[in-house]
Amino acid sequence: MKRLKIAMMSMTHGHTRKYYDVLKNNPKLEWIAVSTANETVKDIFLRSVTGIPCYDSDEAMLDAHPEIEAVVLASENCEHLRQVRLCAERGIHVLSMKVPTFDMAEYAEMERLIAEHDITFQIELELHYNPVVMRTKELIAKKAVGELCAFNATNITLSPVWAFPWQGVPEQSYGKRVPIKEGHDKFRGGALCDHPHIFDLIREITGSEFDVIFAKVAPNMRHEIEEEDMLAVVGRMKNGVIFSLDPSWSRAENRLPVPGPGWEVFPKRMEVNLVMHGTEGSMLTDCFGPNTYHNGSPENQYTVQYTYFDEWVGLIDEFVENIRTHRTPKINIKWHKNTIKAMNAVYESIATGKAVRL
């Protein structure tokens, strides 16, 4: 199979550095170039990777390298539509970060551009390639706990705002400045916007769509940021499965400008846990369980070493296969729309204090 000529845009997203080794070493890829959104991320990139041309704008990169076939949009949520336009007009395939946009008019324009220019548009939800999640889905499909009745999931992390400041700016994360609710001093765009995974996985595992959602926001543990950092969501799927979801920034962090040793604060950087109850039993899944932890002595820099299969390898392999075989990605823009609608419904429920029916 011919190597895919790939590039990256912006380099401001928290997942950016996850791609460095994959794009450099995957034999299916030829990493052509990057464009950086500002001098800070440019400096970090140039200190981390050598031999890859770096440009100060998306347009300059694309003009200099017409051979680019695909792009990873490692950018702020508010930049995605502009970058999708740039790519679609040039017939360039797109691997988008996990939130294309929360604005459904923008979402519809992306759908139109993708169809009109016949490009592959895959959304990065890397937990689909996590081996623990894959095994969980297999067991649930085989009725290992009988008929599924209830689903609980946590997607709790530290806050990326300190290293990736745009995630703390409502206009750049959510897309506009919308108060959480009347009289509240926080705005949409925080922890919920960072954690679509569990909203996607419940749809995948139950084979159903959201029916009713009710949500509440907690007082912030980080009072200085403008957005929500802790919330809880409950509801019911259309097939009757009830659920509770926790997509919070409820892990503490050292506020480093670049993630590294000492970024984590005990006990974990993040947890994605699934608890599923069925008619014949229950299943508990720790998606990031098989890790190695070190207390950081003598420098007191607590660290976590991941020991599982790198999800980004499977994700990129599928992206290449989708492009070369002209296959629609599993996590495509049409599929993902109901996840984004559910997340918007969470904000609506918080704002109104009422359950929202989808």
Side-chain angles (χ1 to χ4, degrees):
M1 183 181 292
K2 187 175 73 169
R3 296 171 73 194
L4 182 72
K5 298 181 187 298
I6 195 167
M8 292 182 71
M9 286 182 173
S10 294
M11 318 296 277
T12 55
H13 196 278
H15 288 175
T16 296
R17 296 202 306 163
K18 298 284 188 180
Y19 287 99
Y20 287 176
D21 288 340
V22 177
L23 267 64
K24 193 85 171 177
N25 299 319
N26 191 322
K28 298 178 181 179
L29 303 176
E30 182 181 348
W31 192 1
I32 300 296
V34 302
S35 59
T36 52
N38 56 60
E39 288 299 317
T40 299
V41 296
K42 181 179 181 179
D43 180 62
I44 292 170
F45 173 75
L46 292 175
R47 284 189 281 111
S48 305
V49 178
T50 59
I52 303 298
C54 181
Y55 296 85
D56 292 330
S57 78
D58 302 331
E59 292 85 352
M61 179 183 73
L62 295 177
D63 288 345
H65 296 280
E67 72 272 25
I68 291 171
E69 298 176 86
V71 164
V72 179
L73 301 188
S75 54
E76 305 92 322
N77 295 340
C78 66
E79 287 291 293
H80 291 165
L81 177 58
R82 178 187 67 81
Q83 292 175 329
V84 169
R85 287 193 189 113
L86 280 176
C87 292
E89 290 164 359
R90 292 166 172 79
I92 294 172
H93 307 288
V94 173
L95 180 60
S96 171
M97 293 296 101
K98 49 197 173 183
V99 176
T101 179
F102 284 101
D103 185 311
M104 299 319 291
E106 289 188 357
Y107 206 101
E109 182 172 353
M110 288 188 192
E111 289 185 283
R112 179 187 63 78
L113 287 165
I114 292 159
E116 185 177 302
H117 295 276
D118 193 26
I119 62 170
T120 296
F121 188 91
Q122 184 170 322
I123 296 165
E124 180 220 74
L125 287 172
E126 75 282 358
L127 273 173
H128 277 262
Y129 308 89
N130 178 294
V132 179
V133 171
M134 293 173 74
R135 178 62 172 156
T136 298
K137 290 192 291 186
E138 180 183 297
L139 289 171
I140 293 296
K142 290 180 177 178
K143 307 291 186 184
V145 296
E147 296 298 328
L148 198 59
C149 302
F151 183 102
N152 168 265
T154 58
N155 188 175
I156 53 178
T157 69
L158 42 67
S159 171
V161 166
W162 322 110
F164 307 99
W166 69 266
Q167 294 204 249
V169 180
E171 293 88 344
Q172 295 181 340
S173 179
Y174 184 69
K176 51 189 173 183
R177 201 171 186 82
V178 180
I180 285 288
K181 56 183 175 180
E182 188 175 355
H184 204 281
D185 65 342
K186 302 301 179 189
F187 297 85
R188 298 180 182 185
L192 177 65
C193 292
D194 193 30
H195 293 153
H197 303 284
I198 50 179
F199 291 85
D200 170 77
L201 284 179
I202 188 173
R203 297 175 57 218
E204 173 81 356
I205 289 172
T206 63
S208 186
E209 298 293 348
F210 290 94
D211 183 21
V212 179
I213 285 177
F214 180 75
K216 299 280 280 187
V217 68
N220 268 41
M221 62 184 284
R222 301 166 184 82
H223 302 292
E224 63 273 45
I225 69 173
E226 290 192 297
E227 304 159 334
E228 88 286 349
D229 66 3
M230 292 201 293
L231 65 158
V233 185
V234 297
R236 183 181 64 236
M237 304 300 285
K238 291 190 184 297
N239 67 354
V241 172
I242 60 172
F243 63 82
S244 65
L245 308 176
D246 180 359
S248 298
W249 286 334
S250 54
R251 285 287 181 258
E253 70 281 325
N254 291 316
R255 298 173 182 183
L256 305 180
V258 180
W263 176 252
E264 306 92 342
V265 176
F266 184 83
K268 283 186 180 182
R269 170 188 308 184
M270 62 180 169
E271 289 192 52
V272 179
N273 299 318
L274 311 177
V275 180
M276 288 148 289
H277 301 290
T279 54
E280 297 179 23
S282 298
M283 184 184 304
L284 285 71
T285 301
D286 181 352
C287 302
F288 293 107
N291 298 329
T292 301
Y293 303 93
H294 193 278
N295 64 7
S297 295
E299 302 299 326
N300 198 32
Q301 293 187 326
Y302 173 78
T303 57
V304 180
Q305 176 63 50
Y306 297 127
T307 57
Y308 53 81
F309 172 76
D310 189 342
E311 296 102 335
W312 273 264
V313 173
L315 186 149
I316 284 287
D317 281 352
E318 183 175 308
F319 184 52
V320 174
E321 185 72 15
N322 288 334
I323 291 170
R324 292 298 183 228
T325 63
H326 203 259
R327 182 178 64 192
T328 300
K330 166 61 179 173
I331 313 301
N332 59 73
I333 196 162
K334 182 178 180 181
W335 158 268
H336 197 50
K337 184 189 291 187
N338 284 350
T339 294
I340 298 298
K341 285 182 176 179
M343 295 168 76
N344 277 326
V346 169
Y347 279 131
E348 183 184 346
S349 178
I350 291 171
T352 63
K354 298 177 180 179
V356 175
R357 185 176 293 278
L358 285 95

